[in-house]
Amino acid sequence: MNHDFPSFNEFNEDFEDLRDLLQQFENLKEGRSHSFLDEDSFEQIIDYYDEHDELNNAMQAVEIAIEQFPFSSALLLKKSALLIETKKYREALQLLEKAAVLDSNDINLYILKTDVYLAMNQHEKAAKLLEEQIKVFDGEDRTDLLLELADVYDDWEEFEKVFDCLKMLLEFDPTNEEALHKICFWTEFTGRNEESIRLHTSIINEHPYNQLAWFNLGTAYQGLKLYEKAVDAYQYAVVIDERFDYAYRNMGDAYIHLRKFNEAIEVLQKHLEVAKPEDVIYEAIGHCYEKMRKFTQARYYYRKASHLSPNDDKLYLKIAKAYMTEENWENAIKSLQTAIRLNKQNLEYNITLGQCLLQIGSDKEALVYFLNAVRIRPGSAAAWKELIRGLYLVGHVEEAYAQLEIAESKIGRKPVFLYYKAVILISMGRTKEGLIQLETALQLHPRQFKKVTELDPSILQHNSVVELIARYRRKR
């Protein structure tokens, strides 16, 4: 079998050669006898020291080399790069001007100049330099300069121009992987999905087996919420490369938006086969099962997600809600307690745990969590509503009324408070006041009448309440 990889012996020989070169350089420095070092040998020595962060040795080597080969632009570029690393930008620029006189056809000259301009915050100069050179160079060099220019615009926060630059590059070099990867992000960032669709459609017409182009086409359709078309594009991508994990992930997301949960589960399972398991994938599969009302499976996948991400408190809420739909209050409570241990100040966890505790008759404990919710966010109508409702349901009607008055003084007369006040007044025997309150609520917020039955359906057994509602409906 023929491989392009170097053999162990070749590695060994290269290592021995390098060690020999470094020894010759040490001899040269110490004034001992040594073999002649040519320009190429010096470049290897400089690179070795630079890669090993021995900048002083690298600088020493490059200076000795330039003494011996004063007209080598490659060595001047090496020295410039070292000066840039040590933040000596002005010296680097002078050296680059000198190198340009010797050889203006080396692309590294312009890339190093760009690095200097960026370090000195001179983005405009960097962009201008590269724009000029893009017209001069061709082939791979032009590709490299366009990628460099895209980075300059990114650093300069000229985000539309980053997209323009990558688009120009792909029109010139349509299968460039780096540009295809980058333009996917910048399409989403700039929202230029229509342009991306036109660009990638033309790439696919020339190169129908380019999976990245199909993937980018899919993400652009997804950005426009055209999920059916996105799915089609991703399917081509995974036919070309059946291990393309991001295509399965995005296809799963598109299927979820189309409410095709079985298909979503299938492609997300495929993602798990080809890539490392991730909490978000398990969570998405759990979400699909929950939407299909298959709560046992939903919990199974939320659990798998929580094993990978044990500090993600949101997952425990999801597990709890899946138990709540089955009225399995005890297990829901356990999950919510874990969520609260991880995030004590979460309003929703406190409210939901209070609701579950009410269901099993742990009234005092439930009220503690509703009180917590009010403390966490005193401006939340939802927190006050649960506290008032909790007090009322466990028989503390007077206290419910007192807390309702406090709530109104703090956050105003919310529609739910008007209805709750009417119910509470009636159940306290203050029927006349309660009916006036109910009439006001019906006039101001007729659609929210269900708040009455949510608090106490038995209120509808009062004749006067039924008469008032009937009268109000006739008026309407």
Side-chain angles (χ1 to χ4, degrees):
M1 278 176 77
N2 184 23
H3 288 294
D4 291 334
F5 301 120
S7 69
F8 178 72
N9 285 342
E10 285 174 283
F11 270 130
N12 238 357
E13 282 167 30
D14 289 347
F15 181 68
E16 288 298 328
D17 290 347
L18 181 62
R19 207 162 62 176
D20 191 41
L21 284 178
L22 294 170
Q23 187 55 59
Q24 295 302 334
F25 178 62
E26 285 302 317
N27 292 343
L28 167 65
K29 278 200 305 186
E30 301 299 328
R32 294 196 290 270
S33 69
H34 59 88
S35 309
F36 172 73
L37 290 169
D38 61 15
E39 192 180 331
D40 188 47
S41 301
F42 270 115
E43 284 189 40
Q44 285 183 64
I45 292 163
I46 296 157
D47 287 345
Y48 172 82
Y49 285 132
D50 186 17
E51 281 161 21
H52 289 77
D53 287 329
E54 297 182 34
L55 291 183
N56 287 341
N57 280 335
M59 191 59 89
Q60 206 176 357
V62 81
E63 278 166 359
I64 294 170
I66 289 169
E67 273 174 37
Q68 292 193 19
F69 304 98
F71 301 110
S72 162
S73 66
L75 288 169
L76 292 176
L77 292 182
K78 294 257 181 236
K79 186 175 179 184
S80 307
L82 292 169
L83 288 167
I84 293 167
E85 278 185 66
T86 51
K87 297 186 169 49
K88 294 175 181 163
Y89 303 123
R90 304 230 171 266
E91 283 177 59
L93 261 186
Q94 286 167 358
L95 215 53
L96 289 167
E97 295 302 340
K98 203 167 156 188
V101 175
L102 295 169
D103 179 8
S104 63
N105 294 323
D106 188 334
I107 180 183
N108 292 312
L109 171 69
Y110 305 103
I111 286 174
L112 286 170
K113 259 193 180 177
T114 302
D115 290 345
V116 173
Y117 289 141
L118 285 185
M120 294 165 78
N121 240 349
Q122 297 177 351
H123 293 87
E124 205 166 334
K125 273 190 181 175
K128 196 161 178 266
L129 171 75
L130 292 170
E131 281 162 3
E132 283 165 8
Q133 296 311 317
I134 282 158
K135 294 169 198 155
V136 177
F137 285 91
D138 201 33
E140 274 182 40
D141 285 346
R142 182 187 288 178
T143 297
D144 289 345
L145 289 169
L146 278 162
L147 284 167
E148 190 73 19
L149 182 57
D151 287 346
V152 169
Y153 284 135
D154 181 5
D155 204 60
W156 197 5
E157 297 190 1
E158 290 279 350
F159 301 131
E160 297 292 338
K161 287 185 176 175
V162 179
F163 182 92
D164 294 336
C165 204
L166 293 167
K167 184 180 164 196
M168 194 195 303
L169 195 163
L170 286 165
E171 283 162 352
F172 162 71
D173 180 5
T175 59
N176 184 278
E177 279 197 22
E178 192 176 343
L180 284 165
H181 279 297
K182 283 185 170 176
I183 202 163
C184 185
F185 169 80
W186 288 105
T187 300
E188 190 183 348
F189 191 89
T190 56
R192 288 164 72 174
N193 293 298
E194 287 94 342
E195 278 174 86
S196 183
I197 289 166
R198 284 195 294 277
L199 171 70
H200 288 97
T201 303
S202 72
I203 293 173
I204 287 161
N205 289 338
E206 278 183 66
H207 306 276
Y209 295 106
N210 188 307
Q211 71 270 30
L212 285 175
W214 280 110
F215 176 78
N216 289 357
L217 182 63
T219 60
Y221 279 130
Q222 202 155 355
L224 293 172
K225 298 186 166 48
L226 298 170
Y227 299 113
E228 300 272 6
K229 288 188 167 183
V231 165
D232 289 345
Y234 294 137
Q235 280 175 336
Y236 279 108
V238 298
V239 165
I240 298 162
D241 175 7
E242 59 183 26
R243 300 191 66 77
F244 197 160
D245 54 342
Y246 275 92
Y248 291 118
R249 174 194 294 251
N250 281 18
M251 208 192 311
D253 184 65
Y255 275 132
I256 288 170
H257 278 98
L258 291 165
R259 303 189 65 75
K260 293 185 173 179
F261 299 116
N262 278 318
E263 289 88 339
I265 289 168
E266 200 178 314
V267 294
L268 291 169
Q269 292 283 15
K270 195 78 192 151
H271 183 286
L272 291 171
E273 285 170 30
V274 301
K276 212 170 93 187
E278 281 180 71
D279 54 343
V280 287
I281 303 296
Y282 285 135
E283 190 178 338
I285 296 173
H287 172 79
C288 292
Y289 278 121
E290 189 180 330
K291 288 289 179 190
M292 292 157 71
R293 305 193 65 75
K294 294 182 175 177
F295 299 112
T296 309
Q297 289 99 315
R299 282 195 298 274
Y300 172 76
Y301 281 98
Y302 289 147
R303 279 238 161 71
K304 282 180 92 69
S306 73
H307 291 321
L308 290 181
S309 188
N311 294 323
D312 185 348
D313 44 283
K314 294 187 301 298
L315 289 167
Y316 296 100
L317 175 70
K318 291 185 173 187
I319 293 167
K321 288 205 161 169
Y323 277 127
M324 287 165 75
T325 51
E326 297 175 338
E327 300 190 1
N328 185 338
W329 308 113
E330 300 282 354
N331 280 323
I333 287 165
K334 281 180 198 159
S335 284
L336 287 163
Q337 284 167 336
T338 307
I340 286 178
R341 259 202 306 282
L342 292 167
N343 184 355
K344 284 188 178 62
Q345 297 303 305
N346 186 290
L347 184 77
E348 190 180 1
Y349 303 166
N350 280 278
I351 287 176
T352 314
L353 183 50
Q355 289 167 340
C356 291
L357 287 162
L358 271 188
Q359 292 288 347
I360 62 163
S362 295
D363 301 347
K364 274 189 183 158
E365 224 183 318
L367 292 174
V368 168
Y369 284 102
F370 293 142
L371 265 171
N372 279 351
V374 169
R375 279 197 205 104
I376 289 164
R377 205 176 305 159
S380 161
W384 282 105
K385 170 183 155 255
E386 291 301 327
L387 175 62
I388 295 157
R389 183 170 172 269
L391 287 163
Y392 181 86
L393 291 178
V394 304
H396 300 313
V397 182
E398 304 275 344
E399 185 57 30
Y401 186 77
Q403 290 300 327
L404 204 155
E405 297 272 76
I406 296 168
E408 284 193 331
S409 70
K410 285 190 184 296
I411 59 171
R413 299 180 76 198
K414 305 287 179 195
V416 65
F417 295 164
L418 293 177
Y419 281 109
Y420 274 22
K421 190 178 260 189
V423 174
I424 293 168
L425 284 166
I426 292 165
S427 69
M428 286 163 75
R430 292 161 64 179
T431 311
K432 228 179 216 170
E433 285 174 77
L435 290 170
I436 292 167
Q437 187 73 28
L438 182 56
E439 194 163 5
T440 309
L442 285 165
Q443 281 168 354
L444 295 173
H445 310 284
R447 291 207 172 139
Q448 302 224 27
F449 175 70
K450 61 179 183 296
K451 302 289 180 203
V452 165
T453 50
E454 174 191 281
L455 182 60
D456 187 354
S458 74
I459 212 82
L460 295 176
Q461 289 161 7
H462 283 250
N463 289 338
S464 46
V465 171
V466 176
E467 277 168 29
L468 172 60
I469 294 161
R471 194 166 69 244
Y472 184 77
R473 284 196 175 136
R474 278 199 301 277
K475 263 192 213 167
R476 287 193 71 198

